[in-house]
Amino acid sequence: ILLEKVGITSEVQFLRIIMDGIPPLEDKHLFIKDLRFEKVKVRIYQPKIPPTSQSRGILYFHGGVGLFGSILTRYDYGKTLSLLFRYRLAPEHPYPTQFEDCLTATIHFMRTAQDYGVDPSRIIICGDSSGGTLTAAVAQALVDRRDLPKLRAQILIYPFLQSVNFNLPSYQQNEGVPILLKQRTLALGLKYLNRDLSIIEAVSKHSHIPEDLQLKYQKWVNPDYIPHEFKSRGYKPSTMHPFSEEIYTLVKPVFDTVFSPLIAEDNVIAQLPETFILTCEFDVLRDDGLLYKKRLEDHGIKVTWCHLQEGFHGTIFLALWGRAIAFHSGSKGLKKIVNFLRLM
């Protein structure tokens, strides 16, 4: 952005200032409390009129690529306790601190849910964009925890889920579509890992992936699995470029399942909870959601899928702030999410 080019402030700092300057949404029907679950800041929205029985609870992980984001977003989910986590941000708190904070806070709440009037068997985790990444990673981390209740569901809103292929049809078709341009996606991801942006081109051309990993991951991250109708706006199979050991060493964390949940092993995917996935047609991350949907369904996981044909990355965030800045696609998607939650 212009301010970054002239040396006034970085894009990340600018976005933090904007996000932190937004006043919290008030609601006469809710108690709003700021707490800490161990080291993690949490904002709780609790109905003033308590339900007659234990309610569902939704835990929300904000987006922002682990670099910025807001805990001020809130929507009326009915008789639902909502918790928004303000995990610590990179680069001051290096990756994977963000995931560790979300997992810590989730486990804390799962153990204390009844103190807040929440049924431990009705806990749903949710996130948008990179918050969707964190949601998927937390759900995967919990599958083998026999000391905790099972998650009721996970909600993934246009999530980033893989760093294997940045030339899927959605990346090609939406390369220059605001707000999440392809180059911006790569740049923010590298900033999240505190890596130099000079390697963007090499990563974009897949020079960061050794041949053995290419072969392993192509059974999960493969444009052949994208339905034909999603290639109608144009798609050209990409050619592989020479592998660089140096680039691979620099970006090796992108192959952690915390960073790329789509490449988790089958035995993990098979144990995941019921899932809601929202994708947008005009979004570079569209195909991440489509591929995760396929993996889940291949293992018998129930998936509710909402595709916004006119949607773009960020449309749900705008809808959360009200009609003045909401687009029809965002309002439609938000209603679908709320309807899904009411069934939980």
Side-chain angles (χ1 to χ4, degrees), residues 29-237:
H29 302 296
L30 296 169
F31 289 118
I32 302 175
K33 293 183 279 188
D34 288 328
L35 302 174
R36 282 184 183 268
F37 287 177
E38 299 185 34
K39 294 181 180 179
V40 186
K41 293 181 181 179
V42 181
R43 175 160 289 164
I44 296 182
Y45 295 87
Q46 193 164 20
K48 288 183 177 178
I49 301 176
T52 54
S53 59
Q54 288 186 327
S55 67
R56 72 180 77 83
I58 179 168
L59 317 184
Y60 194 90
F61 310 138
H62 66 75
V65 206
L67 297 162
F68 53 88
S70 173
I71 62 169
L72 305 177
T73 308
R74 204 267 166 196
Y75 186 74
D76 182 9
Y77 298 120
K79 294 179 181 179
T80 303
L81 180 85
S82 304
L83 297 93
L84 285 76
F85 296 162
R86 182 58 180 267
Y87 49 82
R88 290 170 292 173
L89 300 174
E92 296 90 340
H93 302 281
Y95 164 89
T97 301
Q98 298 68 38
F99 161 75
E100 292 166 352
D101 280 359
C102 289
L103 181 60
T104 295
T106 300
I107 291 172
H108 179 98
F109 182 71
M110 294 176 93
R111 287 175 171 161
T112 59
Q114 291 180 318
D115 296 344
Y116 300 93
V118 170
D119 181 343
S121 68
R122 298 178 68 195
I123 296 173
I124 302 108
I125 58 174
C126 173
D128 66 295
S129 193
S130 63
T133 319
L134 292 166
T135 300
V138 167
Q140 291 180 5
L142 292 172
V143 296
D144 289 324
R145 292 294 296 263
R146 305 298 176 223
D147 58 323
L148 296 169
K150 293 291 186 183
L151 289 172
R152 177 63 183 86
Q154 61 174 339
I155 298 175
L156 311 178
I157 302 169
Y158 34 72
F160 175 95
L161 295 171
Q162 59 85 28
S163 304
V164 174
N165 190 334
F166 295 112
N167 281 303
L168 293 169
S170 60
Y171 271 100
Q172 291 188 18
Q173 296 162 5
N174 302 305
E175 181 177 14
V177 175
I179 58 173
L180 195 62
L181 287 68
K182 177 179 176 179
Q183 285 290 102
R184 193 168 200 234
T185 304
L186 295 171
L188 289 172
L190 290 172
K191 285 182 178 181
Y192 180 30
L193 296 174
N194 204 20
R195 301 297 191 267
D196 193 276
L197 300 189
S198 63
I199 63 173
I200 283 181
E201 189 68 20
V203 172
S204 178
K205 293 179 177 178
H206 305 148
S207 296
H208 65 302
I209 311 176
E211 186 176 357
D212 62 327
L213 292 186
Q214 285 181 26
L215 292 172
K216 177 180 180 179
Y217 297 144
Q218 70 180 5
K219 61 182 176 180
W220 301 324
V221 186
N222 193 323
D224 292 345
Y225 299 149
I226 303 298
H228 180 72
E229 60 265 30
F230 292 103
K231 298 175 183 176
S232 61
R233 289 198 289 124
Y235 168 65
K236 182 180 179 181

Side-chain angles (χ1 to χ4, degrees), residues 240-311:
M240 301 307 297
H241 291 259
F243 169 64
S244 167
E245 184 73 41
E246 180 185 3
I247 300 297
Y248 170 64
T249 302
L250 283 171
V251 302
K252 198 172 181 179
V254 304
F255 300 113
D256 297 343
T257 54
V258 165
F259 199 96
S260 298
L262 179 55
I263 59 175
E265 296 295 334
D266 287 337
N267 66 319
V268 173
I269 299 293
Q271 299 182 72
L272 289 170
E274 183 175 347
T275 301
F276 179 100
I277 297 177
L278 183 142
T279 55
C280 293
E281 179 62 26
F282 299 99
D283 182 7
V284 293
L285 303 183
R286 180 196 70 199
D287 294 348
D288 284 25
L290 295 180
L291 291 171
Y292 205 49
K293 172 180 177 289
K294 180 183 187 306
R295 283 210 72 193
L296 291 165
E297 290 178 336
D298 285 349
H299 287 279
I301 307 301
K302 184 178 180 181
V303 177
T304 299
W305 174 46
C306 172
H307 182 65
L308 302 178
Q309 192 61 42
E310 298 178 355

